[in-house]
Amino acid sequence: MFVRRIAVVGTGYVGLTTGACLASLGHRVECADVDALKVNRLRAGQVDILEPGLAELVAEGRAAGRLSFVVGARDAVADAEVVFLCLPTPMGAGGAADLGAVEAVAAEIRDVLPRGAVVVCKSTVPVGTSTRVARLLGREDVAVVSNPEFLREGSAVRDFLHPDRIVVGSDSPRAAERVAALFTRLGAPTVLMDAASAELVKYAANCFLAMKLSYVNAIAELCELVGADVAAVTEGMGRDRRIGRSFLAPGPGWGGSCLPKDTHAMVRIADSVGVDFQLLRATIETNHRQQRRVVDKVRREVGSLVGARIGVLGLAFKAGTNDLRDSPALAVAELLALEGAELVAHDPEVDRPLPGMTVVDDPYAAVRDADAVVLLTEWPAFRTLDWVLVASLMAGSTVLDTRNHLDPDALRRAGLVLRGLGREPGPEHPTAGLAGSAAEA
């Protein structure tokens, strides 16, 4: 494998993972960021992103002299053969992706890119962005390639080093092959295509996953109303190879740094070409409805939420990360607070103050005097809490497990009432009526 000189612009979640993993493959990588404090911390070996294996890879790369960090993109790209743009593309006005950072960096580096360099858009960007970047660069000797990332928070290093596939898109086959060659050692299937198709792949994949999650949340609600068990239903579904088991766990809604912004961006992309993507719009609305449904469940247990003390377990958008971006846990907490609930929250990896709640560093402090407890993030540590102690500390006796994560027997033995999603019928449960109709038939 050829060793390449690579620049990675942006040291966020995707950029730092990309840089550290490429260095581990033997390439010489320089990562650039505008945040001087972050760069200095990385130079000192301090990795603030909670991601298994990432800090170790950064340390190994620095020790081997293959990974370095610099402030500003111009110095990083000055002698690079390949430049990865790993920049934020947050949700902008009307749901469209904000390409401000991508465009600013393209303008910054266009005059210092070496002749024959390849610029790679690693960020999730709308169709046509590669062409747009090429125009901004104004360099006929520099090719632009789309290489979308498929990294899951909590397993990003593993996902990078053991990918299902590598997608590379460019209108220049030679440039696409140069980028694909960077990953040869991974031995993964590589799919070469045009730039527009590669840009759409990431959106299409994420929107499909969002639809799958919204679907299973709707199935969970249906299970409650007809007396079925969502765990049994999804077990039967997931064994169908056409469906698979992943993304079939009900929850308080989906969130994180990708799915919310990517679904809205995809709707905007569809709108721009006259496609009414009703299925995706319904997916987004179902997600908002799921968050409201969790609040309804809490209200049914405690009555009025005004002045009710609610213990919240989990704030990150999923276990294994400290990422709060578009966390469904925070969305539910905000809705509870808007109805007047007093929230005391604990998350193993979140210790900073948050609006509308008190954040404590001890789960037992979160449940003390609580009228109800709501589990919103599936941290393994919550399964092993002393539930007898929890019961003695609570003012009420109901635990709403929005992840179906806890051991029902352990809570039952502690004298607590466990409510889940898609498992037990609620007060509106009409099973008796259905049974009667079936008997009469």
Side-chain angles (χ1 to χ4, degrees):
M1 181 183 126
F2 293 106
V3 174
R4 297 296 187 187
R5 298 187 306 277
I6 297 172
V8 176
V9 183
T11 61
Y13 177 79
V14 172
L16 187 58
T17 302
T18 298
C21 288
L22 286 171
S24 76
L25 295 178
H27 302 294
R28 302 185 67 85
V29 183
E30 187 160 46
C31 296
D33 202 286
V34 295
D35 187 335
L37 178 60
K38 183 192 290 188
V39 169
N40 287 333
R41 289 179 62 81
L42 289 169
R43 285 172 174 169
Q46 297 173 310
V47 176
D48 297 324
I49 299 171
L50 179 62
E51 187 62 48
L54 183 56
E56 292 80 1
L57 275 189
V58 170
E60 291 170 9
R62 291 176 59 253
R66 293 193 300 268
L67 181 63
S68 58
F69 300 93
V70 65
V71 178
R74 289 176 66 88
D75 289 342
V77 308
D79 66 346
E81 299 171 86
V82 182
V83 177
F84 282 85
L85 302 183
C86 301
L87 300 160
T89 54
M91 191 187 309
D98 182 348
L99 297 178
V102 174
E103 293 171 348
V105 168
E108 180 184 356
I109 66 176
R110 60 188 174 196
D111 296 332
V112 294
L113 283 167
R115 183 172 182 79
V118 177
V119 172
V120 183
C121 290
K122 195 74 171 171
S123 307
T124 303
V125 294
V127 176
T129 300
S130 294
T131 300
R132 190 171 178 175
V133 169
R135 288 174 182 159
L136 287 170
L137 293 174
R139 295 276 301 270
E140 292 186 1
D141 61 310
V142 173
V144 179
V145 172
S146 174
N147 173 222
E149 54 87 12
F150 302 99
L151 307 179
R152 298 167 297 168
E153 291 194 46
S155 60
V157 170
R158 177 173 177 77
D159 289 345
F160 191 103
L161 297 177
H162 304 278
D164 295 324
R165 76 292 200 197
I166 295 168
V167 174
V168 182
S170 178
D171 299 330
S172 166
R174 183 179 177 186
E177 290 169 0
R178 284 181 63 188
V179 173
L182 300 176
F183 308 102
T184 300
R185 284 183 55 188
L186 300 180
T190 300
V191 186
L192 301 181
M193 59 187 70
D194 60 277
S197 297
E199 289 164 341
L200 194 57
V201 165
K202 178 62 183 294
Y203 283 117
N206 275 359
C207 290
F208 181 82
L209 295 177
M211 286 189 284
K212 198 172 179 181
L213 289 170
S214 283
Y215 180 81
V216 79
N217 280 335
I219 292 295
E221 181 178 9
L222 185 60
C223 285
E224 293 172 16
L225 294 171
V226 302
D229 184 339
V230 71
V233 173
T234 55
E235 172 70 11
M237 290 172 59
R239 289 184 179 275
D240 187 327
R241 286 174 294 180
R242 296 170 301 173
I243 297 172
R245 297 186 179 187
S246 63
F247 284 76
L248 283 182
W254 40 264
S257 62
C258 293
L259 296 190
K261 73 179 184 67
D262 290 354
T263 49
H264 281 88
M266 185 71 137
V267 168
R268 282 295 302 270
I269 292 169
D271 285 346
S272 71
V273 291
V275 174
D276 184 6
F277 208 151
Q278 294 185 43
L279 181 59
L280 190 52
R281 294 181 192 277
T283 295
I284 296 169
E285 174 51 33
T286 299
N287 194 50
H288 294 320
R289 184 174 182 276
Q290 182 70 359
Q291 295 161 3
R292 297 192 298 268
R293 199 168 83 84
V294 170
V295 175
D296 292 342
K297 281 177 159 289
V298 178
R299 191 189 306 105
R300 283 200 297 268
E301 297 298 329
V302 303
S304 172
L305 286 168
V306 177
R309 186 179 176 96
I310 307 298
V312 176
L313 297 178
L315 296 169
F317 91 93
K318 72 173 184 177
T321 177
N322 57 1
D323 197 343
L324 296 176
R325 287 176 292 179
D326 276 304
S327 169
L330 291 187
V332 170
E334 181 180 357
L335 291 173
L336 288 168
L338 285 173
E339 291 204 26
E342 177 189 348
L343 306 181
V344 183
H346 169 74
D347 187 289
E349 295 296 337
V350 178
D351 58 4
R352 60 185 182 273
L354 294 171
M357 70 185 76
T358 301
V359 179
V360 295
D361 61 4
D362 179 3
Y364 299 107
V367 305
R368 184 181 297 277
D369 298 324
D371 296 303
V373 169
V374 184
L375 184 146
L376 294 168
T377 310
E378 70 283 19
W379 286 103
F382 293 151
R383 283 185 59 88
T384 57
L385 291 177
D386 183 341
W387 290 103
V388 173
L389 176 56
V390 170
S392 71
L393 292 171
M394 289 178 62
S397 60
T398 298
V399 176
L400 174 58
D401 178 5
T402 69
R403 301 283 187 169
N404 292 344
H405 178 61
L406 303 175
D407 179 358
D409 291 335
L411 273 73
R412 192 176 302 114
R413 288 193 299 267
L416 293 167
V417 177
L418 177 63
R419 303 295 189 199
L421 294 184
R423 282 182 165 175
E424 83 298 327
E428 74 281 16
H429 178 51
T431 301
L434 290 174
S437 299
E440 292 167 6

